[in-house]
């Protein structure tokens, strides 16, 4: 295939570069910003894609953010590439703050207890325990071992449901802020780029005209 890497990276390197990009997160953010600016669609369509991607970053559907952002961007008639890039609003540096805000809001809306310090320490373990339960119960279908849903039930009640409900309000706020910031910035960038391309074309035309004038003078 044309776009396949020549040097196949091992799994550990792929995971390591996801959490710690080679050029650092600042360079990764600059790359995403550059790609967003260079998208050919109108600013409002690109901004709708950004809205979709940022909003999805506040949902607990880890591993499905790309898929959900594509669906949401299509429903909103937004730019799909912008939606995919904007999902990186949720990254290893922001996942914990996003999770704490979403969980806190969710528990508040549900009227349940929320301890930020305890939640931050146990969030990863609850995800791990839930996946272990799921894997064990799937295996139990074939092995006949007794099934146990206690960890998954606790994960649903204490993490997933509050996260799902609580992520809506901060997700809408963050996505809307990014939308209204993106529209004028992308519009200014596109106008500037069009101006530079126009100047470049005029410069090329001028050089061709001067070259033709010199050739006609030399021919005489």
């Amino acid at each position: 295939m044309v776009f396949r890497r020549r040097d196949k990276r091992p799994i550990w390197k792929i995971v390591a570069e996801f959490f710690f990009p080679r050029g650092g997160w600042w360079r990764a953010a600059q790359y995403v910003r550059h790609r967003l600016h260079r998208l050919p669609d109108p600013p409002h369509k690109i901004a709708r894609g950004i809205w979709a991607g940022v909003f999805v970053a506040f949902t607990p559907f880890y591993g499905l953010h790309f898929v959900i952002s594509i669906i949401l961007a299509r429903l909103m008639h937004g730019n799909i590439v912008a939606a995919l890039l904007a999902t990186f609003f949720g990254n290893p540096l922001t996942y914990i703050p996003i999770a704490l805000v979403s969980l806190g809001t969710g528990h508040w809306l549900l009227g349940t207890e929320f301890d930020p310090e305890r939640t931050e320490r146990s969030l990863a373990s609850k995800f791990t325990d839930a996946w272990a339960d799921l894997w064990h119960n799937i295996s139990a279908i074939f092995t006949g071992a007794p099934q146990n849903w206690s960890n998954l039930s606790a994960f649903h009640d204490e993490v997933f449901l509050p996260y799902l409900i609580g992520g809506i309000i901060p997700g809408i706020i963050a996505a809307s802020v990014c939308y209204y910031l993106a529209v004028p910035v992308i519009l200014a960038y596109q106008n500037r780029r069009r101006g530079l391309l126009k100047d470049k074309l005029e410069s090329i035309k001028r050089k061709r005209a001067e070259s033709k004038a010199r050739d006609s003078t030399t021919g005489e």
Side-chain angles (χ1 to χ4, degrees):
M1 291 179 65
V2 177
F3 298 106
R4 182 177 292 173
R5 292 178 62 95
R6 292 183 180 178
D7 55 328
K8 191 175 181 180
R9 296 177 300 170
I11 296 296
W12 68 266
K13 192 171 184 181
I14 295 172
V15 174
E17 288 184 3
F18 174 77
F19 287 98
F20 303 100
R22 265 188 265 180
W25 278 105
W26 173 249
R27 185 174 178 182
Q30 292 296 101
Y31 170 78
V32 170
R33 183 179 66 86
H34 180 70
R35 286 295 304 272
L36 287 171
H37 285 167
R38 292 182 68 87
L39 292 175
D41 278 335
H44 285 84
K45 187 172 183 179
I46 297 172
R48 283 196 293 269
I50 293 172
W51 194 100
V54 173
F55 177 78
V56 168
F58 282 80
T59 67
F61 299 106
Y62 296 111
L64 296 174
H65 282 178
F66 278 1
V67 176
I68 298 172
S69 67
I70 290 172
I71 295 171
L72 188 56
R74 287 186 67 88
L75 291 174
M76 297 176 64
H77 301 288
N79 184 283
I80 290 176
V81 176
L84 292 173
L85 292 171
T87 58
F88 287 101
F89 186 89
N91 57 71
L93 300 179
T94 61
Y95 277 142
I96 294 299
I98 288 174
L100 291 177
V101 170
S102 299
L103 284 169
T105 306
H107 280 288
W108 175 70
L109 290 171
L110 292 170
T112 52
E113 186 180 354
F114 175 66
D115 184 353
E117 293 184 3
R118 183 171 173 272
T119 300
E120 186 175 352
R121 288 195 301 270
S122 63
L123 188 60
S125 64
K126 285 179 179 176
F127 269 98
T128 304
D129 292 344
W131 275 111
D133 254 15
L134 185 63
W135 178 251
H136 169 77
N137 292 329
I138 292 173
S139 302
I141 297 173
F142 305 99
T143 62
Q147 294 183 337
N148 183 3
W149 298 95
S150 58
N151 287 328
L152 269 172
S153 179
F155 175 79
H156 175 272
D157 296 339
E158 298 174 18
V159 178
F160 183 80
L161 184 61
Y163 200 141
L164 180 64
I165 295 174
I168 295 173
I169 295 175
I172 289 174
I173 293 172
S176 299
V177 169
C178 291
Y179 174 90
Y180 285 108
L181 289 177
V183 171
V185 172
I186 294 171
L187 180 62
Y189 181 88
Q190 289 183 346
N191 288 338
R192 179 174 174 273
R193 193 159 179 261
R194 276 194 290 266
L196 291 174
L197 288 173
K198 185 179 178 181
D199 291 342
K200 189 173 181 180
L201 286 172
E202 289 179 353
S203 176
I204 292 171
K205 288 179 181 178
R206 187 167 56 253
K207 287 179 180 179
R208 284 181 178 175
E210 290 174 355
S211 177
K212 286 181 180 179
R214 282 197 302 268
D215 291 342
S216 61
T217 304
T218 305
E220 290 177 359

